[in-house]
Amino acid sequence: HIQDPASQRLTWNKPPKSVLVIKKIRDASLLQPFKELCVYLTEENNMIVYVEKKVLEDPAIANDENFGPVKKKFCTFREDYDDISNQIDFIICLGGDGTLLYASSLFQGSVPPVMAFHLGSLGFLTPFNFENFQSQVTQVIEGNAALVLRSRLKVKVVKEHREKMTVQNGIEENGVVSANLEKEVGKQIMQYQVLNEVVVDRGPSSYLSNVDVFLDGHLITTVQGDGVIVSTPTGSTAYAAAAGASMIHPNVPAIMITPICPHSLSFRPIVVPAGVELKIMLSPDARNTAWVSFDGRKRQEICHGDSISITTSCYPLPSICFREPVSDWFESLAQCLHWNVRKKQNNFTVEEEE
């Protein structure tokens, strides 16, 4: 049985009580929509509203006396300090695509459904307009909406943990002179959930990157160029599309591997099945280190002996649709990326046909 993407619907086992509102910070144009939405959620729907602490530190919000009674009802949290993963029923994003990526990063396990309003610059992942937000939010609270499950990548970075030893007068106990000695003292393991892409690049080095790509333990290729992008179908319309990859609908179970400026005419982007395990390491004879980032965040250096393991996560991001998954996606292609926009060819006149 092949499931129709349009059959995925949002249903509640019990009415939602708590909502996380994520607002793009340092954007004055979002202050009024943010206040209107929060007043509507707290006073009209009696919802528990969670807001990040730094959002309320904005002087325009902190000094607004009329907004004070609403603000007192908020539950606040701080990124990387407070765990709210089990307290949120659904999420509302006000901003651009980056706001949705940020919402994804807050939940390293199961993600609540996300309703994203287009109040940013591009808006490929944010299908809702804010003009009629009351009726649209009410519809979601009542559980009448289509969903698209956006797959994420589970990424594990294993680093050979090295620490510099301080040597008195530059001489060790055995009398050997050593200025900068590094000693391996075990491994450091970090895990991330990624919605768009993992990017491995050459960083500030002037040399080509040389990284080996393994698929289920088998070496499939060595990337020589500026780097490589490993993306989800959601991320295929982001950096991967800019690097020349195909665009994949988010309901397709796949992982895309796209080289960045490869020094090879035949290195084309490839699509592999969701669920395979990719591993990326520096080639043994690489002249320089590499750098890795996850949805543009947490950028860090990768040295010889370190590894990046990537597979499909079992925790997708449920994104609430404006209409349904297929028409929303093609609408975004047309409106945001101007896909296949061309002046129409004129038809023949009667005289020309004769």
Side-chain angles (χ1 to χ4, degrees):
H1 175 67
I2 306 296
Q3 187 181 24
D4 180 4
S7 67
Q8 295 174 354
R9 307 289 298 181
L10 171 65
T11 56
W12 300 108
N13 293 327
K14 55 184 179 179
K17 294 292 182 186
S18 58
V19 56
L20 168 62
V21 177
I22 296 178
K23 182 186 85 68
K24 182 181 179 184
I25 59 172
R26 295 187 295 275
D27 191 336
S29 67
L30 295 184
L31 290 172
Q32 192 57 35
F34 172 74
K35 292 175 183 178
E36 289 179 22
L37 174 66
C38 291
V39 168
Y40 179 73
L41 290 170
T42 54
E43 296 184 358
E44 299 289 330
N45 292 280
N46 202 26
M47 302 281 289
I48 301 169
V49 176
Y50 284 78
V51 178
E52 194 169 9
K53 203 166 188 289
K54 63 184 178 184
V55 170
L56 300 183
E57 291 169 354
D58 189 319
I61 293 176
N63 300 329
D64 188 341
E65 294 180 1
N66 296 328
F67 194 61
V70 177
K71 194 172 64 172
K72 287 178 181 176
K73 298 179 183 178
F74 289 160
C75 295
T76 60
F77 72 98
R78 294 169 300 166
E79 184 190 8
D80 296 332
Y81 284 94
D82 303 314
D83 183 14
I84 58 168
S85 55
N86 294 321
Q87 299 166 33
I88 305 299
D89 290 326
F90 73 102
I91 303 168
I92 297 179
C93 292
L94 302 177
D97 294 344
T99 317
L100 184 68
L101 293 172
Y102 178 67
S104 171
S105 72
L106 293 175
F107 295 86
Q108 294 301 298
S110 180
V111 189
V114 182
M115 182 181 195
F117 285 95
H118 178 198
L119 291 163
S121 51
L122 183 62
F124 194 93
L125 306 177
T126 53
F128 289 93
N129 291 316
F130 196 74
E131 285 77 19
N132 304 314
F133 78 92
Q134 292 100 332
S135 60
Q136 293 168 341
V137 170
T138 301
Q139 204 171 346
V140 169
I141 292 173
E142 292 172 353
N144 181 22
L147 273 182
V148 57
L149 295 177
R150 297 185 178 277
S151 66
R152 297 197 293 175
L153 298 174
K154 182 175 76 172
V155 187
K156 183 171 76 171
V157 180
V158 179
K159 289 189 174 184
E160 299 288 348
H161 193 65
R162 304 167 182 87
E163 70 175 19
K164 291 189 176 182
M165 297 172 61
T166 55
V167 184
Q168 214 169 18
N169 299 324
I171 301 175
E172 288 186 76
E173 291 179 0
N174 58 7
V176 178
V177 177
S178 176
N180 293 310
L181 181 68
E182 288 189 348
K183 183 181 179 182
E184 290 189 6
V185 289
K187 296 182 185 295
Q188 182 185 11
I189 300 175
M190 293 154 288
Q191 296 202 27
Y192 305 95
Q193 296 282 332
V194 176
L195 178 60
N196 259 1
E197 73 273 299
V198 179
V199 177
V200 180
D201 61 73
R202 61 191 174 98
S205 173
S206 59
Y207 297 114
L208 292 174
S209 72
N210 263 276
V211 294
D212 294 335
V213 180
F214 300 83
L215 193 149
D216 287 340
H218 302 287
L219 177 66
I220 56 170
T221 194
T222 297
V223 180
Q224 294 189 100
D226 281 355
V228 64
I229 305 165
V230 179
S231 62
T232 62
T234 295
S236 70
T237 49
Y239 193 0
S246 294
M247 295 179 287
I248 305 174
H249 189 277
N251 277 111
V252 178
I255 298 174
M256 180 177 284
I257 303 169
T258 307
I260 308 170
C261 298
H263 204 242
S264 164
L265 296 176
S266 59
F267 197 164
R268 302 293 296 274
I270 60 170
V271 179
V272 297
V276 301
E277 182 170 21
L278 295 168
K279 184 181 254 188
I280 298 176
M281 300 181 70
L282 271 180
S283 299
D285 54 354
R287 292 182 177 185
N288 56 311
T289 61
W291 289 76
V292 62
S293 60
F294 314 93
D295 283 341
R297 295 162 57 89
K298 310 287 186 185
R299 187 168 166 80
Q300 54 197 270
E301 191 173 16
I302 297 298
C303 302
H304 284 94
D306 301 342
S307 67
I308 305 162
S309 298
I310 305 168
T311 190
T312 305
S313 170
C314 57
Y315 299 111
L317 183 141
S319 180
I320 300 171
C321 301
F322 179 64
R323 290 190 184 86
E324 49 87 22
V326 174
S327 63
D328 275 18
W329 192 67
F330 278 100
E331 183 77 14
S332 290
L333 286 182
Q335 296 295 325
C336 301
L337 300 185
H338 304 295
W339 178 66
N340 198 24
V341 173
R342 180 191 184 275
K343 188 177 179 182
K344 273 233 170 182
Q345 187 179 45
N346 292 332
N347 61 342
F348 284 129
T349 63
V350 178
E351 291 81 4
E352 286 173 325
E353 285 179 353
E354 290 174 353

